[in-house]
């Protein structure tokens, strides 16, 4: 690794002229063009009259692993797709991508069935996509044919940057998998399934990144060989870093977090030396527009919000506070920036927090729904919150301001329940592809009036003003698809997603969501052994010195039952 690293450039060029002066980057650029020739992406032809010639541009990226070590200098030639004209250079551009809830559902199922998830990515994936349109691009800077300098390339296959490139790649990949015996998911067309003799192999695709697993390891090997036979692949072994999520797979379960990303954004926004705080938002916080307040840099504020929104894919504890601050991106003031910085201070002290999916546990679909009536200071709209579990694995959550003003707490809770029901129905359909058929799915609500509205037709006289879109929940209650149950507010887990809470209440709900924080500091290569010892002793802090010389430090969420 050290020898390989010594031949890689540590400087990321911003222009092609800079890269052409560095031999390491020239090699990377030539490798990219060699791939074009190998895959027969383009042909050099005389410049046609009356045709739009799309420019090209070099993009340079230093690839690093989770530890920050440079592993690759990647040069990519992209087309300037903004010059394309609809109906001439492209038609349809839509290409499906996996939802993050689908990724977490995939991992929860892997933990439930106790199998390992593997990862691979396709080298230069878009170059495999077959174009239907006639597209011309200019010769790349630094690699112009000296004998034919005025010629251009006509594309037979897609190029990165083209508007239709993702769709062309998806069409090629999905067609190949279907011909190989896989079937697409019912609602998630990025999920591919194949069942054989009681075993199942699952494949989840996010553009050119692929994760897969099976209840029989033989099928994983067969799938890897199948992909290598058709595409140029990077086989990356066990899944450990996917879409910014750090995934650790142990014999006892799967741990998901984003500690590296948290440290990166703390450094980016100069918050790495900030003082940690216990909650992301002070209890009782009410944020308004503050028209007389001091304005702050809008680009910095939006950058911080965007970073936090991405982080909510593994951190439900900051969902409400981030969504609340995101409402003021149009004209942020100093009070809004202070609120965002508090979230960063909270992250500073909880950077290693994540989601724990224990293996071999139940897999029943359950949900909680709650609302904060008229909580928004701007327009007095309510905030909906919901969480969904598969057994004791938290896979989905949300916090969103409602679209209409509710005239009562019961109405606000009813609208929130309808939103939760919609997410549950999507998950129910998705889980059919995994072989689960759920009915009478329990949704826990802390409003008896809301439960009465969904079950009693007489209540219609009092709910005529509620938008008809929310009444579909009544239909599913009558069909028996879902059931609403009352839960005391003290045990309403979705309360975390509707309002700021004091530290005691906040930590209590975090614990109920999945929730024992165990900090492990050790010298060993056997992580599973340390986790097992820590659980057995029931200690939050456990230190063990071993003979091996690898140092790791982690913070993991365990269910109480595990401890």
């Amino acid at each position: 690794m050290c020898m390989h690293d010594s031949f890689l450039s540590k400087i990321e060029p911003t222009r092609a002229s800079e890269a052409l002066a560095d031999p390491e980057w020239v090699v990377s650029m030539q490798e990219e063009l060699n791939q074009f020739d190998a895959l027969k992406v383009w042909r050099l032809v005389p410049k046609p009259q009356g045709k739009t010639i799309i420019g090209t541009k070099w993009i340079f990226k230093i690839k690093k692993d989770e530890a920050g070590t440079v592993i690759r200098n990647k040069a990519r030639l992209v087309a300037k797709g903004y010059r394309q004209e609809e109906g001439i250079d492209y038609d349809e551009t839509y290409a499906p991508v996996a939802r993050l809830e689908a990724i977490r559902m995939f991992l929860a199922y892997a933990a439930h069935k106790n199998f390992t998830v593997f990862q691979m990515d396709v080298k230069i994936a878009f170059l495999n996509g077959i174009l239907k349109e006639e597209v011309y691009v200019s010769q790349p800077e630094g690699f112009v044919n000296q004998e034919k300098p005025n010629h251009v390339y006509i594309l037979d296959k897609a190029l990165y940057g083209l508007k239709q490139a993702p769709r062309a790649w998806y069409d090629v990949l999905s067609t190949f998998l279907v011909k190989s015996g896989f079937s697409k998911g019912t609602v998630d067309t990025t999920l591919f399934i194949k069942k054989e003799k009681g075993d199942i192999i699952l494949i989840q695709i996010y553009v050119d990144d692929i994760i897969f697993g099976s209840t029989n390891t033989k099928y994983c090997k067969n799938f890897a060989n199948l992909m290598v036979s058709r595409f140029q692949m990077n086989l990356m072994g066990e899944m450990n870093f996917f879409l910014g999520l750090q995934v650790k797979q142990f014999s006892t379960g799967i741990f998901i977090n984003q500690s590296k990303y948290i440290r990166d954004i703390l450094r980016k926004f100069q918050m790495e030396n900030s003082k940690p705080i216990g909650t992301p938002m002070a209890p009782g916080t009410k944020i308004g527009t503050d028209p007389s307040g001091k304005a702050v840099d809008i680009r910095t504020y939006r950058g911080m919000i965007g970073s936090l929104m991405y982080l909510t894919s593994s951190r439900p504890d900051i969902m409400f506070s981030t969504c609340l601050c995101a409402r003021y991106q149009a004209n942020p003031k100093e009070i809004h920036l202070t609120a965002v910085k508090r979230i960063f201070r909270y992250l500073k002290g909880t950077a290693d927090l994540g989601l724990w999916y224990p293996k071999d546990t139940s897999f029943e679909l359950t949900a909680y729904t709650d609302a904060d009536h008229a909580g928004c200071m701007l327009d007095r709209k309510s905030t909906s919150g919901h969480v969904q579990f598969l057994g004791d694995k938290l896979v989905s959550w949300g916090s969103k301001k409602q679209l209409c003003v509710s005239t009562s707490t019961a109405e606000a809770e009813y609208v929130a329940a309808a939103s939760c029901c919609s997410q549950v129905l999507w998950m129910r359909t998705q889980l059919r592809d995994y072989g689960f058929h759920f009915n009478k799915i329990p949704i826990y609500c802390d409003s008896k009036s809301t439960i009465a509205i969904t079950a009693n037709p007489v209540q219609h006289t009092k709910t005529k003003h509620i938008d008809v879109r929310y009444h579909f929940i009544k239909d599913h209650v009558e069909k028996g698809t879902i059931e609403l149950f009352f839960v005391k507010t003290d045990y309403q887990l979705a309360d975390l997603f509707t309002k700021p809470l004091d530290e005691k209440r906040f930590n209590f709900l975090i614990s109920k969501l999945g929730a024992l924080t165990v900090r492990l500091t050790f010298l060993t290569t056997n992580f599973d052994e340390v986790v097992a010892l820590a659980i057995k002793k029931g200690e939050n802090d456990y230190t063990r010195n071993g003979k091996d010389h690898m140092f790791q430090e982690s913070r993991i969420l365990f269910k109480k039952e595990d401890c």
Side-chain angles (χ1 to χ4, degrees), residues 122-157:
V122 186
K123 296 180 182 178
I124 51 176
F126 286 5
L127 303 186
N128 292 283
I130 300 173
L131 289 182
K132 300 175 182 178
E133 303 84 9
E134 192 175 277
V135 181
Y136 295 89
V137 298
S138 61
Q139 297 188 51
E141 183 178 352
F143 295 86
V144 176
N145 189 309
Q146 297 300 315
E147 297 178 358
K148 302 175 181 178
N150 295 322
H151 279 45
V152 296
Y153 284 104
I154 182 172
L155 297 180
D156 295 318
K157 295 184 177 180

mmCIF file of all heavy atoms in Angstrom, residues 122-157:
data_model
loop_
_atom_site.group_PDB
_atom_site.id
_atom_site.type_symbol
_atom_site.label_atom_id
_atom_site.label_comp_id
_atom_site.label_asym_id
_atom_site.label_seq_id
_atom_site.Cartn_x
_atom_site.Cartn_y
_atom_site.Cartn_z
ATOM 1 N N VAL A 122 -19.128 -0.430 -10.810
ATOM 2 C CA VAL A 122 -18.820 -0.626 -12.222
ATOM 3 C C VAL A 122 -17.861 0.474 -12.670
ATOM 4 O O VAL A 122 -18.128 1.660 -12.479
ATOM 5 C CB VAL A 122 -20.097 -0.588 -13.082
ATOM 6 C CG1 VAL A 122 -19.778 -0.937 -14.526
ATOM 7 C CG2 VAL A 122 -21.143 -1.533 -12.517
ATOM 8 N N LYS A 123 -16.759 0.069 -13.230
ATOM 9 C CA LYS A 123 -15.817 1.052 -13.774
ATOM 10 C C LYS A 123 -16.461 1.722 -14.986
ATOM 11 O O LYS A 123 -17.051 1.046 -15.834
ATOM 12 C CB LYS A 123 -14.514 0.367 -14.195
ATOM 13 C CG LYS A 123 -13.729 -0.273 -13.053
ATOM 14 C CD LYS A 123 -12.456 -0.920 -13.592
ATOM 15 C CE LYS A 123 -11.667 -1.604 -12.498
ATOM 16 N NZ LYS A 123 -10.454 -2.273 -13.030
ATOM 17 N N ILE A 124 -16.327 3.063 -15.037
ATOM 18 C CA ILE A 124 -16.849 3.840 -16.172
ATOM 19 C C ILE A 124 -18.220 3.331 -16.624
ATOM 20 O O ILE A 124 -18.428 2.989 -17.796
ATOM 21 C CB ILE A 124 -15.842 3.859 -17.339
ATOM 22 C CG1 ILE A 124 -15.386 2.458 -17.697
ATOM 23 C CG2 ILE A 124 -14.658 4.730 -16.998
ATOM 24 C CD1 ILE A 124 -14.462 2.389 -18.898
ATOM 25 N N ALA A 125 -19.149 3.281 -15.676
ATOM 26 C CA ALA A 125 -20.457 2.676 -15.935
ATOM 27 C C ALA A 125 -21.189 3.321 -17.106
ATOM 28 O O ALA A 125 -21.744 2.624 -17.968
ATOM 29 C CB ALA A 125 -21.314 2.772 -14.674
ATOM 30 N N PHE A 126 -21.213 4.653 -17.147
ATOM 31 C CA PHE A 126 -22.013 5.340 -18.162
ATOM 32 C C PHE A 126 -21.528 5.051 -19.582
ATOM 33 O O PHE A 126 -22.282 5.179 -20.540
ATOM 34 C CB PHE A 126 -22.005 6.851 -17.920
ATOM 35 C CG PHE A 126 -22.860 7.275 -16.753
ATOM 36 C CD1 PHE A 126 -23.491 6.348 -15.945
ATOM 37 C CD2 PHE A 126 -23.037 8.614 -16.452
ATOM 38 C CE1 PHE A 126 -24.277 6.722 -14.875
ATOM 39 C CE2 PHE A 126 -23.819 9.013 -15.381
ATOM 40 C CZ PHE A 126 -24.441 8.064 -14.594
ATOM 41 N N LEU A 127 -20.264 4.660 -19.710
ATOM 42 C CA LEU A 127 -19.734 4.385 -21.038
ATOM 43 C C LEU A 127 -20.312 3.104 -21.635
ATOM 44 O O LEU A 127 -20.083 2.801 -22.800
ATOM 45 C CB LEU A 127 -18.204 4.277 -20.994
ATOM 46 C CG LEU A 127 -17.457 5.497 -20.440
ATOM 47 C CD1 LEU A 127 -15.960 5.306 -20.591
ATOM 48 C CD2 LEU A 127 -17.897 6.782 -21.145
ATOM 49 N N ASN A 128 -21.052 2.344 -20.822
ATOM 50 C CA ASN A 128 -21.717 1.140 -21.322
ATOM 51 C C ASN A 128 -23.107 1.443 -21.877
ATOM 52 O O ASN A 128 -23.711 0.603 -22.531
ATOM 53 C CB ASN A 128 -21.841 0.109 -20.197
ATOM 54 C CG ASN A 128 -20.504 -0.456 -19.765
ATOM 55 O OD1 ASN A 128 -19.923 -1.298 -20.438
ATOM 56 N ND2 ASN A 128 -19.998 0.021 -18.631
ATOM 57 N N GLY A 129 -23.636 2.632 -21.570
ATOM 58 C CA GLY A 129 -24.971 2.993 -22.026
ATOM 59 C C GLY A 129 -25.022 3.270 -23.512
ATOM 60 O O GLY A 129 -24.183 4.005 -24.052
ATOM 61 N N ILE A 130 -25.988 2.689 -24.196
ATOM 62 C CA ILE A 130 -26.108 2.836 -25.651
ATOM 63 C C ILE A 130 -27.007 4.027 -25.975
ATOM 64 O O ILE A 130 -28.145 4.101 -25.500
ATOM 65 C CB ILE A 130 -26.671 1.551 -26.279
ATOM 66 C CG1 ILE A 130 -25.721 0.378 -25.981
ATOM 67 C CG2 ILE A 130 -26.867 1.722 -27.780
ATOM 68 C CD1 ILE A 130 -26.272 -0.965 -26.407
ATOM 69 N N LEU A 131 -26.495 4.945 -26.791
ATOM 70 C CA LEU A 131 -27.256 6.148 -27.154
ATOM 71 C C LEU A 131 -28.179 5.886 -28.336
ATOM 72 O O LEU A 131 -27.825 5.162 -29.275
ATOM 73 C CB LEU A 131 -26.305 7.291 -27.507
ATOM 74 C CG LEU A 131 -25.515 7.947 -26.369
ATOM 75 C CD1 LEU A 131 -24.673 9.088 -26.921
ATOM 76 C CD2 LEU A 131 -26.445 8.465 -25.291
ATOM 77 N N LYS A 132 -29.347 6.508 -28.272
ATOM 78 C CA LYS A 132 -30.291 6.432 -29.375
ATOM 79 C C LYS A 132 -30.242 7.697 -30.239
ATOM 80 O O LYS A 132 -30.698 7.694 -31.378
ATOM 81 C CB LYS A 132 -31.712 6.236 -28.833
ATOM 82 C CG LYS A 132 -31.880 4.973 -28.000
ATOM 83 C CD LYS A 132 -33.267 4.879 -27.395
ATOM 84 C CE LYS A 132 -33.409 3.644 -26.518
ATOM 85 N NZ LYS A 132 -34.752 3.576 -25.871
ATOM 86 N N GLU A 133 -29.702 8.773 -29.666
ATOM 87 C CA GLU A 133 -29.642 10.047 -30.380
ATOM 88 C C GLU A 133 -28.269 10.219 -31.066
ATOM 89 O O GLU A 133 -27.314 9.521 -30.734
ATOM 90 C CB GLU A 133 -29.870 11.216 -29.411
ATOM 91 C CG GLU A 133 -31.179 11.156 -28.642
ATOM 92 C CD GLU A 133 -31.116 10.289 -27.402
ATOM 93 O OE1 GLU A 133 -29.998 9.856 -27.045
ATOM 94 O OE2 GLU A 133 -32.181 10.033 -26.801
ATOM 95 N N GLU A 134 -28.211 11.150 -32.004
ATOM 96 C CA GLU A 134 -26.962 11.477 -32.689
ATOM 97 C C GLU A 134 -26.300 12.636 -31.958
ATOM 98 O O GLU A 134 -26.796 13.762 -31.972
ATOM 99 C CB GLU A 134 -27.252 11.853 -34.144
ATOM 100 C CG GLU A 134 -26.006 11.942 -35.016
ATOM 101 C CD GLU A 134 -26.353 12.204 -36.468
ATOM 102 O OE1 GLU A 134 -26.669 11.238 -37.201
ATOM 103 O OE2 GLU A 134 -26.353 13.390 -36.874
ATOM 104 N N VAL A 135 -25.190 12.342 -31.265
ATOM 105 C CA VAL A 135 -24.530 13.344 -30.423
ATOM 106 C C VAL A 135 -23.068 13.462 -30.843
ATOM 107 O O VAL A 135 -22.372 12.449 -30.996
ATOM 108 C CB VAL A 135 -24.625 12.966 -28.926
ATOM 109 C CG1 VAL A 135 -23.946 14.028 -28.064
ATOM 110 C CG2 VAL A 135 -26.082 12.781 -28.508
ATOM 111 N N TYR A 136 -22.591 14.719 -30.992
ATOM 112 C CA TYR A 136 -21.196 14.988 -31.368
ATOM 113 C C TYR A 136 -20.517 15.761 -30.227
ATOM 114 O O TYR A 136 -21.115 16.660 -29.631
ATOM 115 C CB TYR A 136 -21.123 15.819 -32.650
ATOM 116 C CG TYR A 136 -21.663 15.113 -33.879
ATOM 117 C CD1 TYR A 136 -23.023 15.206 -34.219
ATOM 118 C CD2 TYR A 136 -20.830 14.363 -34.698
ATOM 119 C CE1 TYR A 136 -23.523 14.563 -35.340
ATOM 120 C CE2 TYR A 136 -21.324 13.719 -35.832
ATOM 121 C CZ TYR A 136 -22.673 13.821 -36.141
ATOM 122 O OH TYR A 136 -23.155 13.186 -37.256
ATOM 123 N N VAL A 137 -19.260 15.391 -29.948
ATOM 124 C CA VAL A 137 -18.483 16.106 -28.932
ATOM 125 C C VAL A 137 -17.126 16.478 -29.510
ATOM 126 O O VAL A 137 -16.623 15.842 -30.436
ATOM 127 C CB VAL A 137 -18.289 15.253 -27.653
ATOM 128 C CG1 VAL A 137 -19.610 14.935 -27.000
ATOM 129 C CG2 VAL A 137 -17.510 13.973 -27.943
ATOM 130 N N SER A 138 -16.539 17.522 -28.928
ATOM 131 C CA SER A 138 -15.218 17.980 -29.377
ATOM 132 C C SER A 138 -14.121 17.077 -28.828
ATOM 133 O O SER A 138 -14.324 16.327 -27.875
ATOM 134 C CB SER A 138 -14.990 19.416 -28.914
ATOM 135 O OG SER A 138 -15.024 19.489 -27.490
ATOM 136 N N GLN A 139 -12.952 17.156 -29.416
ATOM 137 C CA GLN A 139 -11.819 16.372 -28.946
ATOM 138 C C GLN A 139 -11.342 16.905 -27.594
ATOM 139 O O GLN A 139 -11.360 18.111 -27.355
ATOM 140 C CB GLN A 139 -10.677 16.417 -29.966
ATOM 141 C CG GLN A 139 -11.033 15.794 -31.307
ATOM 142 C CD GLN A 139 -9.828 15.671 -32.220
ATOM 143 O OE1 GLN A 139 -8.777 15.151 -31.828
ATOM 144 N NE2 GLN A 139 -9.964 16.162 -33.456
ATOM 145 N N PRO A 140 -10.909 16.019 -26.690
ATOM 146 C CA PRO A 140 -10.525 16.453 -25.343
ATOM 147 C C PRO A 140 -9.234 17.270 -25.330
ATOM 148 O O PRO A 140 -8.316 17.015 -26.121
ATOM 149 C CB PRO A 140 -10.342 15.132 -24.593
ATOM 150 C CG PRO A 140 -10.060 14.117 -25.644
ATOM 151 C CD PRO A 140 -10.833 14.563 -26.854
ATOM 152 N N GLU A 141 -9.193 18.238 -24.425
ATOM 153 C CA GLU A 141 -8.016 19.093 -24.288
ATOM 154 C C GLU A 141 -6.789 18.254 -23.919
ATOM 155 O O GLU A 141 -6.831 17.404 -23.047
ATOM 156 C CB GLU A 141 -8.268 20.129 -23.196
ATOM 157 C CG GLU A 141 -7.127 21.123 -23.020
ATOM 158 C CD GLU A 141 -7.418 22.167 -21.951
ATOM 159 O OE1 GLU A 141 -8.576 22.191 -21.460
ATOM 160 O OE2 GLU A 141 -6.508 22.937 -21.613
ATOM 161 N N GLY A 142 -5.679 18.507 -24.647
ATOM 162 C CA GLY A 142 -4.444 17.791 -24.398
ATOM 163 C C GLY A 142 -4.294 16.515 -25.201
ATOM 164 O O GLY A 142 -3.211 15.918 -25.209
ATOM 165 N N PHE A 143 -5.382 16.086 -25.859
ATOM 166 C CA PHE A 143 -5.335 14.826 -26.611
ATOM 167 C C PHE A 143 -5.999 15.003 -27.977
ATOM 168 O O PHE A 143 -6.760 14.142 -28.432
ATOM 169 C CB PHE A 143 -6.021 13.710 -25.819
ATOM 170 C CG PHE A 143 -5.325 13.361 -24.540
ATOM 171 C CD1 PHE A 143 -5.604 14.066 -23.376
ATOM 172 C CD2 PHE A 143 -4.363 12.364 -24.504
ATOM 173 C CE1 PHE A 143 -4.957 13.762 -22.195
ATOM 174 C CE2 PHE A 143 -3.707 12.045 -23.326
ATOM 175 C CZ PHE A 143 -3.998 12.750 -22.164
ATOM 176 N N VAL A 144 -5.729 16.135 -28.619
ATOM 177 C CA VAL A 144 -6.271 16.414 -29.949
ATOM 178 C C VAL A 144 -5.439 15.668 -30.985
ATOM 179 O O VAL A 144 -4.206 15.688 -30.941
ATOM 180 C CB VAL A 144 -6.263 17.927 -30.239
ATOM 181 C CG1 VAL A 144 -6.745 18.200 -31.660
ATOM 182 C CG2 VAL A 144 -7.135 18.663 -29.221
ATOM 183 N N ASN A 145 -6.126 14.997 -31.912
ATOM 184 C CA ASN A 145 -5.454 14.274 -32.983
ATOM 185 C C ASN A 145 -4.715 15.267 -33.881
ATOM 186 O O ASN A 145 -5.334 16.139 -34.505
ATOM 187 C CB ASN A 145 -6.484 13.481 -33.787
ATOM 188 C CG ASN A 145 -5.842 12.530 -34.779
ATOM 189 O OD1 ASN A 145 -4.989 12.907 -35.574
ATOM 190 N ND2 ASN A 145 -6.276 11.272 -34.725
ATOM 191 N N GLN A 146 -3.390 15.155 -33.933
ATOM 192 C CA GLN A 146 -2.583 16.122 -34.676
ATOM 193 C C GLN A 146 -2.813 16.053 -36.179
ATOM 194 O O GLN A 146 -2.650 17.051 -36.882
ATOM 195 C CB GLN A 146 -1.092 15.890 -34.370
ATOM 196 C CG GLN A 146 -0.718 16.100 -32.910
ATOM 197 C CD GLN A 146 -1.023 17.518 -32.449
ATOM 198 O OE1 GLN A 146 -0.725 18.500 -33.146
ATOM 199 N NE2 GLN A 146 -1.644 17.632 -31.272
ATOM 200 N N GLU A 147 -3.200 14.888 -36.682
ATOM 201 C CA GLU A 147 -3.440 14.741 -38.110
ATOM 202 C C GLU A 147 -4.836 15.228 -38.501
ATOM 203 O O GLU A 147 -5.056 15.635 -39.637
ATOM 204 C CB GLU A 147 -3.275 13.272 -38.519
ATOM 205 C CG GLU A 147 -1.856 12.739 -38.296
ATOM 206 C CD GLU A 147 -1.741 11.273 -38.674
ATOM 207 O OE1 GLU A 147 -2.786 10.686 -39.066
ATOM 208 O OE2 GLU A 147 -0.636 10.728 -38.586
ATOM 209 N N LYS A 148 -5.773 15.187 -37.552
ATOM 210 C CA LYS A 148 -7.156 15.603 -37.834
ATOM 211 C C LYS A 148 -7.647 16.541 -36.722
ATOM 212 O O LYS A 148 -8.590 16.219 -35.991
ATOM 213 C CB LYS A 148 -8.071 14.383 -37.941
ATOM 214 C CG LYS A 148 -7.632 13.389 -39.015
ATOM 215 C CD LYS A 148 -8.495 12.137 -38.997
ATOM 216 C CE LYS A 148 -8.037 11.138 -40.055
ATOM 217 N NZ LYS A 148 -8.849 9.881 -40.002
ATOM 218 N N PRO A 149 -7.034 17.693 -36.597
ATOM 219 C CA PRO A 149 -7.376 18.589 -35.476
ATOM 220 C C PRO A 149 -8.788 19.174 -35.563
ATOM 221 O O PRO A 149 -9.341 19.602 -34.551
ATOM 222 C CB PRO A 149 -6.319 19.689 -35.569
ATOM 223 C CG PRO A 149 -5.896 19.681 -37.006
ATOM 224 C CD PRO A 149 -5.983 18.251 -37.441
ATOM 225 N N ASN A 150 -9.379 19.202 -36.754
ATOM 226 C CA ASN A 150 -10.707 19.800 -36.916
ATOM 227 C C ASN A 150 -11.834 18.768 -36.885
ATOM 228 O O ASN A 150 -13.004 19.122 -37.053
ATOM 229 C CB ASN A 150 -10.772 20.569 -38.239
ATOM 230 C CG ASN A 150 -9.822 21.766 -38.246
ATOM 231 O OD1 ASN A 150 -9.661 22.449 -37.237
ATOM 232 N ND2 ASN A 150 -9.171 22.004 -39.383
ATOM 233 N N HIS A 151 -11.475 17.508 -36.684
ATOM 234 C CA HIS A 151 -12.491 16.463 -36.591
ATOM 235 C C HIS A 151 -13.154 16.500 -35.207
ATOM 236 O O HIS A 151 -12.643 17.094 -34.260
ATOM 237 C CB HIS A 151 -11.865 15.079 -36.818
ATOM 238 C CG HIS A 151 -11.676 14.758 -38.271
ATOM 239 N ND1 HIS A 151 -11.150 15.645 -39.180
ATOM 240 C CD2 HIS A 151 -11.940 13.598 -38.974
ATOM 241 C CE1 HIS A 151 -11.090 15.074 -40.382
ATOM 242 N NE2 HIS A 151 -11.570 13.837 -40.282
ATOM 243 N N VAL A 152 -14.294 15.837 -35.118
ATOM 244 C CA VAL A 152 -15.020 15.709 -33.840
ATOM 245 C C VAL A 152 -15.377 14.238 -33.646
ATOM 246 O O VAL A 152 -15.248 13.427 -34.561
ATOM 247 C CB VAL A 152 -16.292 16.582 -33.813
ATOM 248 C CG1 VAL A 152 -15.940 18.056 -33.901
ATOM 249 C CG2 VAL A 152 -17.253 16.184 -34.934
ATOM 250 N N TYR A 153 -15.831 13.923 -32.442
ATOM 251 C CA TYR A 153 -16.244 12.547 -32.150
ATOM 252 C C TYR A 153 -17.764 12.429 -32.201
ATOM 253 O O TYR A 153 -18.481 13.287 -31.680
ATOM 254 C CB TYR A 153 -15.760 12.123 -30.767
ATOM 255 C CG TYR A 153 -14.291 11.798 -30.700
ATOM 256 C CD1 TYR A 153 -13.380 12.679 -30.123
ATOM 257 C CD2 TYR A 153 -13.807 10.589 -31.210
ATOM 258 C CE1 TYR A 153 -12.036 12.373 -30.049
ATOM 259 C CE2 TYR A 153 -12.450 10.279 -31.152
ATOM 260 C CZ TYR A 153 -11.571 11.168 -30.569
ATOM 261 O OH TYR A 153 -10.233 10.859 -30.517
ATOM 262 N N ILE A 154 -18.245 11.343 -32.847
ATOM 263 C CA ILE A 154 -19.663 10.998 -32.759
ATOM 264 C C ILE A 154 -19.782 9.875 -31.721
ATOM 265 O O ILE A 154 -18.998 8.923 -31.735
ATOM 266 C CB ILE A 154 -20.240 10.564 -34.125
ATOM 267 C CG1 ILE A 154 -21.735 10.254 -33.978
ATOM 268 C CG2 ILE A 154 -19.480 9.386 -34.719
ATOM 269 C CD1 ILE A 154 -22.433 10.004 -35.308
ATOM 270 N N LEU A 155 -20.726 10.004 -30.824
ATOM 271 C CA LEU A 155 -20.862 9.054 -29.720
ATOM 272 C C LEU A 155 -21.782 7.903 -30.087
ATOM 273 O O LEU A 155 -22.911 8.113 -30.536
ATOM 274 C CB LEU A 155 -21.405 9.763 -28.477
ATOM 275 C CG LEU A 155 -20.531 10.872 -27.867
ATOM 276 C CD1 LEU A 155 -21.218 11.475 -26.643
ATOM 277 C CD2 LEU A 155 -19.159 10.328 -27.482
ATOM 278 N N ASP A 156 -21.291 6.687 -29.881
ATOM 279 C CA ASP A 156 -22.128 5.493 -30.002
ATOM 280 C C ASP A 156 -22.668 5.090 -28.631
ATOM 281 O O ASP A 156 -23.713 4.454 -28.528
ATOM 282 C CB ASP A 156 -21.323 4.336 -30.600
ATOM 283 C CG ASP A 156 -20.902 4.624 -32.029
ATOM 284 O OD1 ASP A 156 -21.736 5.152 -32.797
ATOM 285 O OD2 ASP A 156 -19.744 4.334 -32.382
ATOM 286 N N LYS A 157 -21.918 5.469 -27.583
ATOM 287 C CA LYS A 157 -22.330 5.166 -26.214
ATOM 288 C C LYS A 157 -22.301 6.446 -25.389
ATOM 289 O O LYS A 157 -21.740 7.464 -25.811
ATOM 290 C CB LYS A 157 -21.425 4.092 -25.596
ATOM 291 C CG LYS A 157 -21.552 2.737 -26.301
ATOM 292 C CD LYS A 157 -20.734 1.667 -25.607
ATOM 293 C CE LYS A 157 -20.932 0.314 -26.278
ATOM 294 N NZ LYS A 157 -20.131 -0.760 -25.625
#
